[in-house]
Amino acid sequence: MTLWTPDPTFYPSPRDAAGAPAEKLAYVAAFDRTATRPDALAVIDTDPDSPAYGTVAGWTDLPNTGDELHHFGWNACSSALCPSAPHPHVERRYLVVPGLRSSRIHIYDTKDRISPELVKVIEPETLARRAGYSRPHTVHCGPDGLYVSALGGADGQEGPGGIAVLDHTSFEVLGQWELDRGPQYLAYDFWWHINQDVLVSSEWGTPSMIEDGVVGELLLGRKYGHKLHFWDLRKRTHLQEVDLGDEHQMPLELRPAHDPTRQYGFVGVVTSVEDLSASVWLWFHEDGRWQARKVISIPAEPAAADRLPPVLQPFGAVPPLVTDIALSVDDRRLYVSCWGTGELKQYDVSDPFKPVELGSLRVGGIAGQAPHPAEPGLPLRGGPQMVEVSRDGRRVYLTNSLYGSWDDQFYPDGVGAWMAKIDAESFTFDTRFFPHGDAFRGLRPHQVRLQGGDASSDSYCYP
């Protein structure tokens, strides 16, 4: 009799995941800003013992142009071991890759190959007809299906944005997740406290608010997102909204505690319209309701006007622009990327209410253009943008492009293309790992996913 065993990259607890083998590949979404060439998945060799370490080992072009790859995820992860809706025999095999501008969703097979193979395309008409959404953004694997957030509505409607659900194995669009969305209209990221049946979502803006760059009138008018929404995960109904204050524009990436017994998490806020600072907030459940508290504030940095793009010259300063955060699987280290100032910060968040800054690294940045130590004579543009942490917490990966129109707005001389790796314990750059420039064949690298999973891929049902 054949005995079925779960995918070896699934772990019942974050403690088990932290003891997982090191990844040997990193998958990177890369896009063509001109939309005249296909976007691609670049595969980077992350095995230090490999002769190809730190280079592009695999490459797969998309079949169309104009997708603008952004965020993507695995078809299945450790949540498949949860008792509420177990699917222990699915594989972490397929990458689910949305095009943010095209609204297509691509399914890529990674098994037994370096360069992923396209096996299915979900066309925008199907997403619109079955779920009522467009502009798919973030992918998370749940115990009962694939969840994909979307910024826009269907048939030319700006909103509301929300979440579509896909089947784990056939990748058919099952429909819209929300049964009662309450006051929620803007969408961006989402995550959950899976044991407590709570989903959390954040806000950015509708497609017209983001696709041509930051709209000054909307920003100063405090029209971008500034709320968190809490939902009953099982009933698919809205429970509560928490307003961070409309001066705190664009709460984006959500990072809940990996420990499934804890009900807290962190969200990064891009900017304050009052002083251009950025911030990180903690959400938590207390006194019978969800609350949020600012626990990290990062000020803007003064800069000469000739070092600034036109959009910032009237302010005479560089905003940090916190555009991504990452929480280690042991819930002890939080990494905060400041895409504007070119800084990556590391915090001890063992006490989530009182983060302690442990270190800071500079690379790129609007005014600084700090070089990577592997090439100290090469000024870099862009800054730490997407940040991903390995399951064991020892390695941190960075890419430098945010979103095409925003890249052009804040880095009008070109954002370039680079990827970096940091040793988390020493908090230093790995000088052997610096794919950049022509390595990405003229495309801009954005999100990173690690072979076998990473700190932002999985949710666990056991402590």
Side-chain angles (χ1 to χ4, degrees):
M1 182 176 68
T2 300
L3 296 178
W4 286 4
T5 57
D7 186 309
T9 72
F10 295 169
Y11 297 91
S13 73
R15 178 183 62 252
D16 294 328
E23 67 285 346
K24 294 187 177 182
L25 298 173
Y27 300 92
V28 180
F31 68 95
D32 176 42
R33 172 62 177 135
T34 68
T36 59
R37 295 171 48 203
D39 296 349
L41 287 175
V43 186
I44 313 299
D45 189 323
T46 61
D47 180 1
D49 296 327
S50 167
Y53 177 62
T55 68
V56 176
W59 187 277
T60 302
D61 285 319
L62 268 67
N64 300 289
T65 59
D67 287 296
E68 186 141 352
L69 297 189
H70 200 63
H71 291 189
F72 64 114
W74 291 104
N75 68 303
C77 56
S78 296
S79 65
L81 302 180
C82 289
S84 57
H87 291 77
H89 304 304
V90 295
E91 291 181 276
R92 192 196 305 265
R93 172 173 177 172
Y94 300 96
L95 288 171
V96 181
V97 186
L100 186 53
R101 287 188 184 265
S102 69
S103 296
R104 298 185 192 97
I105 300 176
H106 310 80
I107 312 299
Y108 280 93
D109 190 352
T110 67
K111 189 172 184 177
D112 299 328
R113 51 179 59 83
I114 298 296
S115 299
E117 179 184 351
L118 181 68
V119 296
K120 185 182 180 73
V121 177
I122 301 169
E123 296 295 342
E125 296 80 11
T126 302
L127 180 64
R129 183 179 70 255
R130 297 295 303 272
Y133 289 129
S134 65
R135 306 304 198 276
H137 185 274
T138 293
V139 178
H140 287 310
C141 37
D144 56 346
L146 270 167
Y147 292 64
V148 182
S149 72
L151 302 186
D155 304 319
Q157 298 297 312
E158 277 288 281
I163 298 170
V165 181
L166 278 60
D167 183 85
H168 262 307
T169 53
S170 69
F171 305 108
E172 294 296 317
V173 180
L174 300 179
Q176 184 179 110
W177 176 75
E178 300 86 357
L179 288 180
D180 178 5
R181 70 173 65 252
Q184 180 267 332
Y185 187 82
L186 301 179
Y188 182 73
D189 196 12
F190 68 98
W191 252 120
W192 40 59
H193 297 291
I194 201 164
N195 277 6
Q196 294 80 15
D197 285 323
V198 173
L199 183 142
V200 190
S201 64
S202 61
E203 300 184 336
W204 188 10
T206 63
S208 69
M209 296 171 70
I210 63 105
E211 286 190 340
D212 296 321
V214 179
V215 181
E217 294 81 2
L218 295 177
L219 182 66
L220 296 177
R222 308 183 181 204
K223 300 298 185 183
Y224 287 97
H226 48 88
K227 299 174 182 176
L228 299 181
H229 297 271
F230 295 86
W231 309 74
D232 186 308
L233 178 57
R234 185 163 297 188
K235 295 180 179 178
R236 297 153 59 190
T237 58
H238 191 279
L239 297 174
Q240 183 187 342
E241 71 174 20
V242 175
D243 195 334
L244 307 184
D246 62 10
E247 70 273 24
H248 298 295
Q249 292 281 281
M250 295 176 277
L252 297 184
E253 306 298 338
L254 300 167
R255 302 291 179 247
H258 295 90
D259 182 341
T261 68
R262 307 294 299 276
Q263 292 189 78
Y264 73 84
F266 299 95
V267 59
V269 175
V270 174
T271 195
S272 165
V273 296
E274 294 186 343
D275 58 9
L276 296 185
S277 66
S279 54
V280 177
W281 293 63
L282 178 77
W283 78 76
F284 56 98
H285 195 261
E286 188 173 274
D287 299 329
R289 63 190 182 94
W290 292 99
Q291 303 182 50
R293 181 181 303 171
K294 186 193 295 187
V295 292
I296 296 171
S297 185
I298 305 171
E301 298 180 354
D306 62 0
R307 302 286 294 174
L308 298 174
V311 68
L312 294 177
Q313 287 176 357
F315 302 100
V318 179
L321 300 178
V322 166
T323 50
D324 196 20
I325 60 175
L327 180 64
S328 62
V329 170
D330 63 7
D331 293 332
R332 295 182 58 193
R333 297 288 183 266
L334 183 72
Y335 297 88
V336 179
S337 59
C338 303
W339 185 66
T341 51
E343 186 176 20
L344 180 74
K345 290 178 174 287
Q346 182 192 56
Y347 292 89
D348 182 339
V349 289
S350 302
D351 180 349
F353 288 88
K354 297 178 181 178
V356 176
E357 185 171 348
L358 299 177
S360 170
L361 291 173
R362 297 271 180 167
V363 60
I366 292 171
Q369 298 186 17
H372 189 283
E375 291 203 24
L378 177 65
L380 293 178
R381 291 189 288 271
Q385 206 286 291
M386 295 309 294
V387 51
E388 192 51 79
V389 184
S390 63
R391 289 169 296 181
D392 60 13
R394 296 178 181 176
R395 296 165 300 284
V396 182
Y397 297 88
L398 306 173
T399 51
N400 77 309
S401 170
L402 171 59
Y403 182 53
S405 57
W406 293 46
D407 290 349
D408 299 347
Q409 196 170 22
F410 290 97
Y411 292 92
D413 293 329
V415 74
W418 52 264
M419 182 178 178
K421 177 186 170 189
I422 292 164
D423 178 271
E425 291 303 313
S426 63
F427 206 51
T428 56
F429 286 105
D430 181 344
T431 55
R432 295 178 57 209
F433 190 101
F434 182 47
H436 64 284
D438 292 341
F440 291 103
R441 307 184 190 182
L443 305 187
R444 301 181 186 181
H446 186 60
Q447 193 186 32
V448 179
R449 284 292 181 214
L450 302 182
Q451 181 189 45
D454 44 61
S456 303
S457 290
D458 288 31
S459 46
Y460 308 93
C461 280
Y462 301 93

